[in-house]
Amino acid sequence: MGRLSGKTALITGASRGIGEGIAQAFAREGADLYLVSRSSPLDSVLAECRALGVKAEGSLCDVSDSADARRAVDSCVETFGKIDILVNNAGVTRDGLLVRMKDEDFSEVIRINLGGCFNMSRAAAKPMMKKRAGRIINITSVVGAMGNAGQANYAASKAGVVGMTKSVAKELGSRGVTVNALAPGFVETDMTKVLTDENRQLLIKSIPLGRFGSVSDIAGAAVFLASDEAAYITGVTLFVDGGMVMS
Ligand code: NAP
């Protein structure tokens, strides 16, 4: 019996990186999965998860579009009869220094990272409240707590996710739904491939554990927050950052 056997989880941004890693970790723990990406095909991730013995379906959905978000949640509920866990993982960066940042780079990051989290959570809250049970896990970032030059848009979106997490945790607690944020540090994925070696070395110096995180570091924490062991945890931000937030 896996720690998530009998559960159904919807994971956004599951085509690659952290979302793919969470999907695989949830599958290993026995959860059936409904996976979402914006445009990348999900076939290979779905096949990997099915090979681990669970049911896995998915669809393309732009989380920043509220109708799309609702369709994805409805489709999960139609397919599996329920949604027990929502992982709001989809996110983007459009980095640039403040004075050069274009309006659309600011608004797109807020629309997807913060608006997407809102759209998906609002759509999933109804079926969860009806069942008086559910887990919402919002992927934020250490940058939301520390700030980062060149990421005014991204840091604002991720700090917003933390505020939303606490508010929704307060709203839904009495209905048996927990809402938590998971804040990775710097993790080896497509998102961090753009860093120069120099930047990478500078960042590593600021991480007490002396390395970037792996996708499985983050996925393990997501499994914990989704599991029965985390039943009495709500409204927190769990930093999985090698200690970076302290520096
Ligand atoms: P990634 O490798 O760039 O993957 C991003 C995922 O999000 C992809 O599946 C992408 O789908 C999906 N996505 C983007 N925009 C979307 C939209 N509008 N609607 C639906 N899906 C969308 O990113 P990652 O590094 O795994 O990051 C995952 C999450 O962790 C993000 O929220 C990120 O901010 C956060 N995070 C990452 C790091 C890090 O160091 N990597 C650190 C802290 C926090 P497509 O493939 O279709 O584009």
Side-chain angles (χ1 to χ4, degrees):
M1 254 298 263
R3 287 151 84 197
L4 304 179
S5 291
K7 304 288 185 197
T8 295
L10 190 163
I11 304 169
T12 68
S15 58
R16 52 200 160 92
I18 292 172
E20 178 182 12
I22 293 175
Q24 289 169 343
F26 276 25
R28 275 193 291 276
E29 294 295 342
D32 291 329
L33 299 170
Y34 192 92
L35 306 182
V36 159
S37 71
R38 180 170 46 176
S39 54
S40 300
L42 288 158
D43 304 339
S44 69
V45 191
L46 289 170
E48 284 161 11
C49 294
R50 287 180 193 131
L52 291 163
V54 299
K55 293 183 193 135
E57 299 298 334
S59 63
L60 297 183
C61 153
D62 181 348
V63 295
S64 70
D65 178 316
S66 62
D68 240 15
R70 212 172 281 284
R71 265 194 297 274
V73 170
D74 288 350
S75 173
C76 173
V77 173
E78 271 162 33
T79 308
F80 295 109
K82 59 186 183 144
I83 173 170
D84 300 302
I85 305 160
L86 167 66
V87 182
N88 283 313
N89 166 76
V92 295
T93 51
R94 297 282 179 272
D95 297 352
L97 295 174
L98 178 71
V99 292
R100 289 194 217 133
M101 190 174 283
K102 297 194 178 84
D103 289 354
E104 52 273 27
D105 289 338
F106 181 77
S107 55
E108 190 184 4
V109 168
I110 300 292
R111 211 165 36 80
I112 295 175
N113 296 6
L114 184 56
C117 187
F118 169 75
N119 290 333
M120 294 298 301
S121 301
R122 184 176 55 179
K126 271 198 184 152
M128 287 181 176
M129 285 162 72
K130 214 166 148 192
K131 276 198 77 190
R132 303 193 81 79
R135 297 288 165 88
I136 299 177
I137 301 169
N138 298 323
I139 307 299
T140 175
S141 167
V142 70
V143 164
M146 297 178 70
N148 192 23
Q151 290 198 308
N153 50 359
Y154 183 77
S157 73
K158 294 301 190 180
V161 165
V162 172
M164 193 187 301
T165 299
K166 291 179 187 172
S167 302
V168 180
K170 286 184 177 182
E171 276 186 42
L172 301 187
S174 63
R175 310 300 183 93
V177 180
T178 70
V179 188
N180 292 294
L182 199 169
F186 283 78
V187 181
E188 304 284 4
T189 68
D190 289 351
M191 195 175 265
T192 49
K193 265 192 192 138
V194 293
L195 292 168
T196 62
D197 276 351
E198 196 188 347
N199 273 338
R200 194 171 275 269
Q201 289 316 315
L202 272 175
L203 283 166
I204 286 174
K205 278 194 189 133
S206 71
I207 303 171
L209 292 184
R211 64 169 175 89
F212 274 25
S214 66
V215 162
S216 64
D217 289 324
I218 310 307
V223 168
F224 167 67
L225 287 176
S227 74
D228 289 346
E229 291 148 42
Y232 198 55
I233 300 176
T234 198
V236 308
T237 300
L238 176 59
F239 286 89
V240 185
D241 66 347
M244 189 176 183
V245 74
M246 295 183 295
S247 57

